[in-house]
Amino acid sequence: MKRSTFLKMTALAGTAFTVLPSSSVFGHPSGRLRIGFIGTGLRGQELLRLSLMRDDTEVTCICDIQEVMLNSALRLFEKAGKPSPKIYTGNDYAYREMLEKEDIDAVIIATPWEWHYPMAMDAMDAGKHVGCEVMMGTTVDEHWNIVHKTRETGLQYMMLENVCYRRDVMAVLQMVRQGLFGELIHLQGGYQHDLREVKFNNGQQPYGGGVEFGEKGFSEARWRTQHSVTRNGDLYPTHGIGPLSKMLNIHAGNRFTSLVSMASKARGLHEYIVEHGGADHPNAKVEFKLGDVVTTMIRTAGGETVLLQHDTSLPRPYSLGFRVQGTKGLWMDLNESLHIEGLTKPHRWEEAKAWLEKFDHPLWQRYGNDAKGAGHGGMDFFVIHAFLEAIKRGEPTPISVYDSAAWSVITPLSEWSVANNSNSIEFPDFTQGGWKTGKQIFANSDDY
Amino acid sequence: MKRSTFLKMTALAGTAFTVLPSSSVFGHPSGRLRIGFIGTGLRGQELLRLSLMRDDTEVTCICDIQEVMLNSALRLFEKAGKPSPKIYTGNDYAYREMLEKEDIDAVIIATPWEWHYPMAMDAMDAGKHVGCEVMMGTTVDEHWNIVHKTRETGLQYMMLENVCYRRDVMAVLQMVRQGLFGELIHLQGGYQHDLREVKFNNGQQPYGGGVEFGEKGFSEARWRTQHSVTRNGDLYPTHGIGPLSKMLNIHAGNRFTSLVSMASKARGLHEYIVEHGGADHPNAKVEFKLGDVVTTMIRTAGGETVLLQHDTSLPRPYSLGFRVQGTKGLWMDLNESLHIEGLTKPHRWEEAKAWLEKFDHPLWQRYGNDAKGAGHGGMDFFVIHAFLEAIKRGEPTPISVYDSAAWSVITPLSEWSVANNSNSIEFPDFTQGGWKTGKQIFANSDDY
């Protein structure tokens, strides 16, 4: 079907931008969802482990180019008592063979950022739904292409943004929905995480022990660090914007309209290399383009403002820096406190703990035990659960392709603004107007 | 002296932008500084009370247009056992008569923001040094005019920015100067203060009790609230930017180069009126232009970034939101914690208290007892002390006219950016290049 025809049809159907998959897997002989994994590095292994725990899902094939990672992945199948998958490996494009040969409903992609786009496009061309680790693409055009591809194929693309499912964040979402903060006004989030021992290691261990990256690095240092060499902007916006987006009802009556970013100078990574590898280490000559702290401001059609911060190259405690503020009060995660007019003392903070427990999300109440031991404090369980449930049932994923695109495109927009003296850039409307009538389907129940 | 000649001379003298006053007061017969007060409202009364405590200063005249405020001021003279001052009153320009007739060295101005500019200009035209409450003027041009006036006259203008002297902030300044945070990268501050009971009252009490402002309001509500009606930007940036500016050595080798601002929608003030005055109150029809949360980013010549937030119309606990971050760690005031690589546990916050005590500034060690009971936790003592000491000695004020202008001009720049889709605006260089060779003279000792 031509894209234009498809758009017309969906518009006529009154579901201007919600692509409904054409069928669910309940018709399969096995009754189970069949999926493949592209990328079984450390991140892929955690998503794999959670998928293998499920009775409704069969992981029939996996693909990676590193033997050590494939072997670790295979051990997860053994441990889970699940049949060994078909393995695809040998070259960067082995995944294409897997997509061509395997009868699977969906793929989960957990590869370096720059591979997400071609792999997702290829997967959808092969008729597979896509659950992809965060960051959709590198350029604005790539984000549009993914969106168009879902509309052309009727397939779903969900970015596996796990922080949307963080327990405290979901409790705050409940409080937002019940109006405790009044009308939302200003929100903050970000990614403030000292990644220096992720960006550099000794080529054998994933974290630290050396100042190598790229070919000589291991795990994320093999690919992630290079982005700090060549790019300057908010390289990792989704952990902050994802949850805030759901509170703001983005694409359910609201959308992001414009963005500005400002970057500080770059010092942290160079200093780390000099300190831990010496001034004569070859990497001490590398010039890192990524500013140590990059701050981004986004405005919405609803008139709210969102502040995002990216801070991964300096010594600091981990903090996503959430702030959710409305006409009746605000919550901040840094001091784990909130203030709600009429319910807490005037002009005073109150510890958030009891409130977060009181407004614990039904999903966490139902699945909190299952999530125990899952990565990142349990939230990885929920994001995989949501993707697999939605695909299995043939229902829209709670994080849509439009959400995924809008969250991930912040990076290229931010790069543009930083490169253009922090001038303002318009936010693309991937829904092409559909945001006005879109319905909120994220975490509305204890289902998924 | 023509400005151009003056500029040439000061450049030749190697003090490219430090205007040295031509004489100190030590030559006066009394040996005491003689000053007058323009504005004896609640804020002026506190500055007056602190001035009257000093043996080196005579307050010989005061001016205000409200009898109730003049009477309160006179009681302060009685209480301090000081001779009653000459009083000027009766109309908005009574201060001009005072400037003309009185043999005073300096004036302290504590009037509504919009009066600061004409009063300071008139005072300098009358040959008086100026200590002025925060906010220098309304437009960029007004800021330039004040700067030019000081250069033409050789007189000093100091904005009385008290937060520069906050005890914890000064301790952090000491830590910055001793390199504990490494090279500075990113700083944050602002003015986050629920002013709804300041912006509205019943016309009799200064805080709350009604939803009146303007002619029907009392104290700050008489004039301050109107700025929220007609302006949208960071209306009150100096409490945040002042202290950060001193840490960044602005005008002592560094300067602000560009700025962007983004404003949220405006809801808080209208909702307050409806809730406390009813939907039928005439003020419920007022449309407030000021966004509830205004966020501003500033870049410096040194490559640091500064984030400022203005948030005065919503229910919230008071917080100036300081963050001081460098290559070795950071301090934040919200959680009263810091992290310093090698000195605190990796990836962990440590309570700041002991550090702030260890690095207590010499000024606080010497004058902490004198500051007890002074406004705003003692810091008002120091800002008045600094102004009067510098003028008395004929030395440059530690907050220069260039500092004052750069901090205060953030408001009109911010208004421009908000009105222009958050595009970036160049920061004026009030020092005309002098920032490159300027020396840091703020709080270098326990003197003033």
Side-chain angles (χ1 to χ4, degrees):
Chain A
M1 192 189 294
K2 276 189 194 163
R3 210 187 110 246
S4 54
T5 318
F6 180 80
L7 286 177
K8 213 174 290 164
M9 284 177 59
T10 51
L12 283 171
T15 54
F17 77 103
T18 304
V19 178
L20 288 173
S22 46
S23 65
S24 76
V25 296
F26 289 124
H28 285 176
S30 75
R32 283 199 283 271
L33 190 65
R34 287 167 303 199
I35 66 171
F37 266 77
I38 306 178
T40 58
L42 298 188
R43 182 68 190 139
Q45 286 169 42
E46 173 61 10
L47 301 178
L48 175 60
R49 191 180 70 78
L50 292 166
S51 303
L52 291 172
M53 288 167 62
R54 300 178 66 94
D55 291 333
D56 62 355
T57 305
E58 295 172 6
V59 183
T60 61
C61 50
I62 64 175
C63 175
D64 203 290
I65 54 169
Q66 288 190 282
E67 202 182 335
V68 56
M69 295 304 188
L70 285 166
N71 288 338
S72 302
L74 285 175
R75 280 195 293 276
L76 294 173
F77 283 82
E78 283 169 35
K79 216 168 167 180
K82 295 284 169 88
S84 285
K86 186 86 185 285
I87 291 174
Y88 293 84
T89 185
N91 69 79
D92 284 350
Y93 293 92
Y95 75 91
R96 286 182 174 167
E97 196 190 340
M98 181 175 102
L99 291 171
E100 194 186 314
K101 290 190 178 165
E102 295 289 327
D103 178 23
I104 47 178
D105 302 292
V107 289
I108 288 178
I109 299 172
T111 53
W113 295 337
E114 60 273 20
W115 280 97
H116 291 181
Y117 170 71
M119 288 168 168
M121 290 293 280
D122 288 342
M124 288 189 284
D125 277 336
K128 322 299 182 197
H129 297 290
V130 172
C132 188
E133 253 304 323
V134 298
M135 302 322 293
M136 179 183 276
T138 306
T139 64
V140 176
D141 278 352
E142 287 180 358
H143 289 78
W144 272 114
N145 292 343
I146 296 272
V147 169
H148 292 326
K149 186 64 74 184
T150 61
R151 302 189 79 145
E152 286 160 19
T153 59
L155 292 162
Q156 298 213 78
Y157 178 107
M158 171 170 156
M159 197 162 67
L160 304 172
E161 175 40 63
N162 55 2
V163 181
C164 291
Y165 295 93
R166 207 173 86 174
R167 193 165 202 161
D168 59 342
V169 167
M170 291 197 88
V172 171
L173 173 68
Q174 292 296 91
M175 295 175 72
V176 167
R177 289 177 171 180
Q178 293 179 38
L180 272 84
F181 299 109
E183 181 180 350
L184 290 188
I185 297 291
H186 176 75
L187 290 84
Q188 297 184 184
Y191 192 66
Q192 305 179 122
H193 189 182
D194 176 0
L195 291 182
R196 295 173 304 161
E197 295 202 333
V198 171
K199 293 186 186 184
F200 304 112
N201 56 42
N202 59 5
Q204 279 135 30
Q205 64 195 50
Y207 309 119
V211 297
E212 302 299 344
F213 71 96
E215 286 296 311
K216 293 186 176 176
F218 179 69
S219 191
E220 287 180 71
R222 280 187 79 81
W223 58 269
R224 187 172 188 157
T225 316
Q226 186 60 27
H227 291 270
S228 304
V229 178
T230 56
R231 306 173 77 187
N232 193 7
D234 186 333
L235 299 188
Y236 206 57
T238 71
H239 292 329
I241 200 66
L244 301 180
S245 173
K246 290 302 179 186
M247 296 176 195
L248 287 167
N249 286 319
I250 295 299
H251 303 150
N254 202 358
R255 78 174 191 93
F256 303 128
T257 52
S258 66
L259 174 151
V260 292
S261 285
M262 188 176 280
S264 77
K265 57 190 164 189
R267 290 289 185 275
L269 299 183
H270 172 76
E271 283 201 9
Y272 184 87
I273 290 167
V274 169
E275 191 172 327
H276 294 270
D280 294 333
H281 191 283
N283 286 346
K285 290 193 186 64
V286 175
E287 283 186 31
F288 294 91
K289 197 171 165 194
L290 176 65
D292 290 341
V293 178
V294 179
T295 307
T296 297
M297 302 191 290
I298 300 174
R299 207 164 193 283
T300 71
E304 301 93 353
T305 45
V306 182
L307 179 78
L308 295 180
Q309 298 196 287
H310 183 266
D311 170 2
T312 61
S313 305
L314 298 172
R316 64 159 301 134
Y318 178 87
S319 165
L320 297 193
F322 282 112
R323 165 171 168 175
V324 175
Q325 182 169 17
T327 52
K328 292 294 175 200
L330 78 168
W331 165 71
M332 293 188 76
D333 71 346
L334 182 71
N335 60 347
E336 298 175 340
S337 297
L338 52 70
H339 173 82
I340 300 174
E341 188 164 41
L343 298 177
T344 63
K345 285 184 194 157
H347 298 281
R348 289 282 172 274
W349 291 110
E350 181 168 303
E351 210 183 322
K353 193 165 178 289
W355 292 88
L356 299 177
E357 284 166 7
K358 184 174 171 191
F359 288 90
D360 195 29
H361 194 280
L363 264 171
W364 271 94
Q365 292 176 43
R366 175 168 171 187
Y367 289 111
N369 277 333
D370 299 287
K372 264 181 197 156
H376 297 102
M379 57 198 187
D380 287 346
F381 167 87
F382 290 95
V383 72
I384 279 291
H385 174 70
F387 174 67
L388 297 177
E389 284 292 331
I391 298 298
K392 185 179 75 180
R393 303 176 187 208
E395 292 172 0
T397 54
I399 296 171
S400 70
V401 69
Y402 306 102
D403 297 336
S404 307
W407 304 351
S408 169
V409 81
I410 288 169
T411 299
L413 299 180
S414 159
E415 289 178 88
W416 182 92
S417 182
V418 166
N420 287 273
N421 199 28
S422 299
N423 272 314
S424 170
I425 185 165
E426 294 299 300
F427 219 97
D429 174 13
F430 293 108
T431 72
Q432 297 176 292
W435 61 274
K436 291 176 197 166
T437 51
K439 298 279 170 277
Q440 184 59 271
I441 60 163
F442 177 82
N444 285 343
S445 72
D446 68 351
D447 214 5
Y448 67 89
Chain B
M1 190 191 293
K2 276 189 196 163
R3 213 185 109 243
S4 56
T5 318
F6 179 81
L7 288 176
K8 213 176 289 166
M9 283 177 60
T10 51
L12 282 171
T15 54
F17 77 105
T18 305
V19 178
L20 289 171
S22 45
S23 65
S24 76
V25 296
F26 289 124
H28 285 177
S30 75
R32 283 198 284 270
L33 190 65
R34 286 168 304 201
I35 66 171
F37 266 76
I38 306 178
T40 58
L42 298 189
R43 182 68 190 138
Q45 286 169 41
E46 173 60 11
L47 300 178
L48 174 61
R49 193 181 69 79
L50 292 165
S51 302
L52 291 173
M53 287 166 62
R54 300 178 66 96
D55 292 331
D56 62 355
T57 304
E58 296 171 6
V59 184
T60 61
C61 50
I62 64 175
C63 174
D64 204 289
I65 54 167
Q66 288 190 282
E67 200 181 336
V68 56
M69 295 303 189
L70 284 167
N71 288 338
S72 301
L74 285 176
R75 281 195 292 277
L76 294 173
F77 283 82
E78 282 168 34
K79 213 168 169 184
K82 293 285 170 86
S84 285
K86 186 84 184 286
I87 291 175
Y88 293 84
T89 186
N91 69 80
D92 283 350
Y93 293 93
Y95 75 89
R96 285 182 174 166
E97 193 190 342
M98 181 176 102
L99 290 171
E100 194 186 312
K101 291 191 176 162
E102 294 290 325
D103 178 24
I104 48 178
D105 302 292
V107 289
I108 288 178
I109 299 172
T111 53
W113 294 338
E114 59 273 20
W115 280 97
H116 290 180
Y117 171 72
M119 287 168 170
M121 289 293 279
D122 288 340
M124 288 189 283
D125 277 336
K128 322 298 182 197
H129 298 290
V130 172
C132 189
E133 253 304 323
V134 298
M135 303 321 293
M136 179 182 276
T138 306
T139 65
V140 175
D141 278 353
E142 287 180 357
H143 289 79
W144 272 113
N145 291 344
I146 296 274
V147 168
H148 291 327
K149 185 64 75 182
T150 61
R151 302 188 79 145
E152 286 160 20
T153 59
L155 292 162
Q156 297 212 78
Y157 177 107
M158 172 171 156
M159 197 162 66
L160 303 173
E161 176 38 66
N162 55 2
V163 181
C164 291
Y165 295 94
R166 207 173 84 174
R167 194 163 200 162
D168 59 342
V169 166
M170 291 197 89
V172 171
L173 174 68
Q174 292 295 92
M175 295 175 71
V176 167
R177 288 177 171 180
Q178 292 178 40
L180 272 85
F181 299 109
E183 181 179 350
L184 290 188
I185 297 292
H186 176 75
L187 291 84
Q188 296 184 185
Y191 192 65
Q192 305 178 124
H193 188 185
D194 176 0
L195 291 182
R196 295 173 304 160
E197 296 203 331
V198 172
K199 293 186 186 182
F200 303 111
N201 55 42
N202 59 4
Q204 278 137 29
Q205 65 195 48
Y207 308 120
V211 296
E212 303 298 343
F213 71 96
E215 286 297 311
K216 293 185 176 177
F218 179 68
S219 192
E220 287 181 70
R222 281 186 78 80
W223 57 269
R224 188 173 187 157
T225 316
Q226 186 60 26
H227 291 270
S228 303
V229 179
T230 56
R231 307 173 76 187
N232 193 7
D234 186 334
L235 299 189
Y236 206 56
T238 70
H239 292 329
I241 200 64
L244 301 179
S245 171
K246 290 303 179 185
M247 296 176 195
L248 287 165
N249 285 319
I250 296 298
H251 304 149
N254 202 358
R255 78 175 190 93
F256 303 128
T257 53
S258 65
L259 174 149
V260 292
S261 285
M262 188 176 281
S264 77
K265 57 190 164 191
R267 290 290 184 275
L269 299 184
H270 172 75
E271 283 200 9
Y272 184 87
I273 290 168
V274 170
E275 191 171 329
H276 295 270
D280 294 332
H281 191 283
N283 286 345
K285 290 194 186 63
V286 175
E287 283 187 31
F288 293 91
K289 196 172 166 193
L290 176 66
D292 289 342
V293 178
V294 179
T295 307
T296 299
M297 303 192 289
I298 301 173
R299 209 166 190 282
T300 70
E304 301 94 351
T305 45
V306 182
L307 178 77
L308 295 180
Q309 297 195 289
H310 183 265
D311 171 1
T312 61
S313 305
L314 298 172
R316 65 160 298 134
Y318 180 88
S319 165
L320 296 193
F322 282 113
R323 165 171 169 176
V324 175
Q325 182 169 18
T327 52
K328 293 293 175 200
L330 78 168
W331 165 71
M332 292 188 79
D333 71 346
L334 182 70
N335 60 347
E336 299 175 340
S337 298
L338 51 71
H339 173 82
I340 300 173
E341 188 163 42
L343 299 177
T344 62
K345 284 184 194 157
H347 298 279
R348 289 282 173 274
W349 291 110
E350 181 167 304
E351 209 184 322
K353 194 165 179 286
W355 292 88
L356 298 177
E357 284 166 6
K358 184 175 171 191
F359 287 91
D360 194 30
H361 194 280
L363 264 171
W364 270 94
Q365 292 175 44
R366 177 169 169 185
Y367 289 109
N369 277 333
D370 299 285
K372 264 181 197 155
H376 295 101
M379 58 197 186
D380 287 345
F381 168 86
F382 290 96
V383 72
I384 279 289
H385 174 70
F387 174 67
L388 297 177
E389 283 293 329
I391 298 299
K392 184 179 79 181
R393 300 175 189 207
E395 290 172 2
T397 54
I399 296 171
S400 71
V401 69
Y402 306 102
D403 298 334
S404 307
W407 304 350
S408 169
V409 82
I410 288 169
T411 299
L413 298 179
S414 160
E415 290 179 87
W416 182 92
S417 183
V418 166
N420 287 274
N421 200 27
S422 300
N423 271 314
S424 170
I425 185 165
E426 294 298 302
F427 219 98
D429 174 14
F430 293 108
T431 72
Q432 296 177 294
W435 62 273
K436 291 176 195 165
T437 50
K439 298 280 170 277
Q440 183 59 272
I441 60 163
F442 177 82
N444 284 343
S445 72
D446 69 351
D447 213 4
Y448 68 87

